[in-house]
Amino acid sequence: MARALEEFTNEPPLDFAREEARSAMAGALAEMRARLPLLAGPIIAGKRLEMAGETEIRSPSDLNLLVGRCAMGGAAEANQAIGAAEQAFPTWSRAPAPERTSIFLRAADELRRRRLEFAALEVFECAKPWREADADVCEAIDFIHYYAREALRLSEPRPMQPQIPGERNDLSWHPLGVTAVIGPWNFPLAIPVGMMSAAALAGNTVVWKPAEQSPLVVALMMELLERAGLPAGVVNLLPGRGEDAGQTLLDSPRVRMVAFTGSKEVGLHILRACAGVPVGQPFVKRTVIEMGGKNAMIVDASADLDAALIDILASAFGYSGQKCSALSRLIAHEEIYDPLVERLREGAASLKIAPAWEPGCQLGPLIDAAARAKTEGYIGQGRAAERSIYVGEAGELAARGHFVAPAIFDGLPVEHPVVQEEIFGPVLVVLRARSFEEALAIANDTPYGLTGGVHSRTPAHLELARERFECGNLYLNRGTTGAIVGRQPFGGTKLSGIGAKTGGPEYLQQFMISRATSENLMRHGYAPIKGEVV
């Protein structure tokens, strides 16, 4: 029996300024640490596969801490998962939408009860600081609730207008088939759960591949879904490497759709792979691809610099810059450039670098050694240009984990790699503009188009930004990160991705096919089914 759904409301984050919230989170961290290391692996058709060999997942904050071990599936397991999803599709796709939503809402209720457990695991596995980890769990809950309501809305045919006498015209929505969901590590629960729940609530069956760096929290969510009553084979967990398990999903003529969030390089590879139509594939594979950004914030001459500084630091260095929405280019009007740069230098130097489990952590480590090496390489390029505003030091923490201190550069030419390329680390470049129009031109001079921001107290400039800023999400007089489901549907343009915005009213439709039906009601006579009582 489906339950009646109230109007959608967002899950409120915890206020860690309150003692009871801090105490609860500290307790959850202690309990989770006592459970480590966790074990994970493929779950296909409701069965946990026994596999030889496991990958160790170590905490980015302290490489001596073993968070868990995960068996990674390959091509054989990917094909097995596709087969299980195929077998489950006929029954799941025909299940009434209220039945599907009830299962997922039970899972969301349980996730709400266990939110600190999941947040604690993110702190250890992905080095999410307290607020970031809690917010990620809240967003996962939001996605399920928002998409459940959308699934119910789309389950009823929509009468088309104008209707005319003697004819019925409507538009209905139907699931596609087997969907591969390939998630990122930087929002290790929210984004994978959002893509997976959208696909499954729409009536599709799913092969769910988490990022190699963050399979444990997704595996914990998979167990929760099973306890909520999700039938075997509807969602099949496939931790694995992109070059074998992931590539098998892309190449399979039995996979109807691929949903991905991650880097531009991988996203474009997925688009190329899915564009082909191999023998035996009777459809063009659909894709929803969210990629990266080289996001800009403009600080106008009229801006409140105190408010701007808070938003700059949070947007550039929150989660160590490891967000596709993170601020990486700050464009300041020349009238306020020098005082803003001085405040920015002091603000960056005041950030507390610490392991993610410390409550005062403002800047934790990067996710792995490759990310650290890449970021340090860009910092080296900025140093070589002798344009440093501030380059911090991680100290002894750098020997324990993947810590990189924040770095800020100015005066670099617009074609410089630090200005143009996505870094995914705590690196910010400051650029000077002589006018607001020039600042907009600099902001738009990038192949990306994800988020943008403006700090200004000039209404005409805010309106100009609304018209001309080339980005998917524009933030005026606030930070450029932290989009909220329903309130700020999220997604970019240009090389930042394709598809409708996640957490918005069009997102679920991408996982379905629309069918227009026209019926002539002026029929002659009536032919009942044999045995039907007329």
Side-chain angles (χ1 to χ4, degrees):
M1 179 69 67
R3 72 192 198 196
L5 296 183
E6 299 174 352
E7 184 177 353
F8 172 76
T9 57
N10 296 107
E11 186 71 17
L14 289 175
D15 180 5
F16 289 111
R18 301 173 66 89
E19 171 58 31
E20 57 267 33
R22 294 196 301 273
S23 178
M25 185 64 178
L29 286 165
E31 291 177 9
M32 179 56 68
R33 187 186 281 267
R35 291 168 55 186
L36 303 180
L38 304 183
L39 299 177
I43 302 175
I44 298 174
K47 297 179 181 179
R48 284 154 177 75
L49 301 190
E50 298 292 334
M51 298 180 62
E54 294 173 328
T55 295
E56 290 186 344
I57 309 297
R58 294 189 173 272
S59 175
S61 293
D62 187 344
L63 298 178
N64 291 318
L65 178 60
L66 179 62
V67 184
R69 298 182 179 89
C70 183
M72 296 290 182
E77 289 74 28
N79 282 313
Q80 188 177 346
I82 294 167
E86 273 188 315
Q87 188 171 355
F89 178 72
T91 300
W92 180 252
S93 63
R94 296 182 186 122
E99 180 180 318
R100 297 197 295 261
T101 59
S102 290
I103 295 170
F104 274 86
L105 291 173
R106 285 197 296 272
D109 288 344
E110 182 66 13
L111 181 58
R112 180 181 292 111
R113 286 188 288 269
R114 298 170 56 184
R115 63 186 283 180
L116 288 180
E117 175 190 351
F118 278 79
L121 180 53
E122 290 194 19
V123 169
F124 290 118
E125 184 177 24
C126 301
K128 282 269 192 182
W130 287 22
R131 285 187 174 85
E132 299 273 358
D134 178 63
D136 192 57
V137 180
C138 288
E139 189 174 20
I141 297 168
D142 283 351
F143 275 133
I144 293 175
H145 274 274
Y146 189 88
Y147 294 147
R149 286 158 176 78
E150 287 296 294
L152 291 175
R153 178 178 68 85
L154 294 171
S155 67
E156 297 294 330
R158 173 185 171 186
M160 304 307 294
Q161 302 297 332
Q163 294 283 347
I164 62 174
E167 186 174 275
R168 174 187 171 188
N169 295 288
D170 59 46
L171 191 68
S172 57
W173 295 88
H174 308 270
L176 289 164
V178 177
T179 301
V181 171
I182 303 174
W185 52 262
N186 62 332
F187 291 87
L189 188 67
I191 293 179
V193 165
M195 294 189 292
M196 176 276 299
S197 63
L201 283 164
N204 304 291
T205 51
V206 177
V207 180
W208 197 16
K209 183 192 170 308
E212 297 165 31
Q213 298 90 337
S214 57
L216 301 176
V217 70
V218 174
L220 192 62
M221 185 67 195
M222 185 69 186
E223 294 175 11
L224 191 151
L225 288 167
E226 291 177 320
R227 282 194 289 273
L230 187 69
V234 172
V235 176
N236 302 274
L237 181 63
L238 181 70
R241 307 198 183 282
E243 56 268 26
D244 45 26
Q247 191 63 45
T248 301
L249 298 177
L250 304 183
D251 295 339
S252 174
R254 299 181 291 162
V255 172
R256 184 66 178 81
M257 178 176 178
V258 176
F260 167 80
T261 299
S263 71
K264 180 189 74 172
E265 290 72 23
V266 176
L268 294 179
H269 170 74
I270 290 173
L271 284 170
R272 287 189 291 267
C274 292
V277 182
V279 175
Q281 179 178 299
F283 50 78
V284 176
K285 197 168 292 185
R286 189 176 294 186
T287 56
V288 175
I289 307 292
E290 183 191 323
M291 297 180 282
K294 190 67 178 174
N295 309 298
M297 179 188 289
I298 297 171
V299 181
D300 196 10
S302 65
D304 180 336
L305 296 189
D306 292 331
L309 180 64
I310 293 172
D311 289 338
I312 291 166
L313 293 174
S315 300
F317 303 124
Y319 194 37
S320 301
Q322 297 177 115
K323 301 179 183 180
C324 56
S325 57
L327 169 63
S328 57
R329 295 180 299 140
L330 179 63
I331 305 165
H333 193 283
E334 62 182 8
E335 291 183 16
I336 50 87
Y337 190 92
D338 291 336
L340 178 62
V341 164
E342 184 57 35
R343 294 189 191 193
L344 187 57
R345 179 186 293 110
E346 295 174 359
S350 72
L351 294 174
K352 180 179 179 180
I353 305 174
W357 48 73
E358 290 192 11
C361 171
Q362 292 176 288
L363 195 144
L366 300 186
I367 189 66
D368 58 23
R372 176 179 177 176
K374 176 182 176 182
T375 301
E376 288 177 340
Y378 280 107
I379 292 174
Q381 291 185 56
R383 283 182 180 274
E386 299 182 348
R387 302 304 308 181
S388 302
I389 293 175
Y390 174 81
V391 179
E393 296 292 337
E396 63 180 18
L397 287 172
R400 293 172 51 192
H402 301 302
F403 290 87
V404 176
I408 306 171
F409 302 99
D410 77 341
L412 294 173
V414 292
E415 68 273 10
H416 194 280
V418 175
V419 180
Q420 288 294 329
E421 297 175 12
E422 186 179 35
I423 299 175
F424 233 61
V427 179
L428 177 66
V429 60
V430 188
L431 304 166
R432 188 187 299 262
R434 291 166 295 183
S435 67
F436 189 79
E437 289 78 5
E438 183 183 33
L440 273 175
I442 295 171
N444 291 335
D445 185 19
T446 173
Y448 294 99
L450 191 53
T451 66
V454 175
H455 262 274
S456 175
R457 289 184 286 194
T458 304
H461 288 173
L462 297 179
E463 287 304 309
L464 193 62
R466 288 176 181 269
E467 294 174 10
R468 299 187 188 176
F469 211 131
E470 297 173 0
C471 60
N473 285 66
L474 177 61
Y475 298 104
L476 306 178
N477 291 316
R478 53 151 290 178
T480 64
T481 62
I484 303 298
V485 173
R487 285 159 51 188
Q488 295 115 18
F490 186 80
T493 183
K494 298 165 78 172
L495 287 184
S496 289
I498 59 170
K501 292 180 178 295
T502 182
E506 300 172 326
Y507 189 73
L508 209 69
Q509 297 174 18
Q510 301 171 113
F511 296 83
M512 309 175 85
I513 184 170
S514 61
R515 180 179 300 145
T517 303
S518 182
E519 180 183 3
N520 175 15
L521 301 177
M522 305 299 290
R523 58 177 174 256
H524 299 280
Y526 178 74
I529 298 174
K530 184 177 181 180
E532 180 182 2
V533 177
V534 180

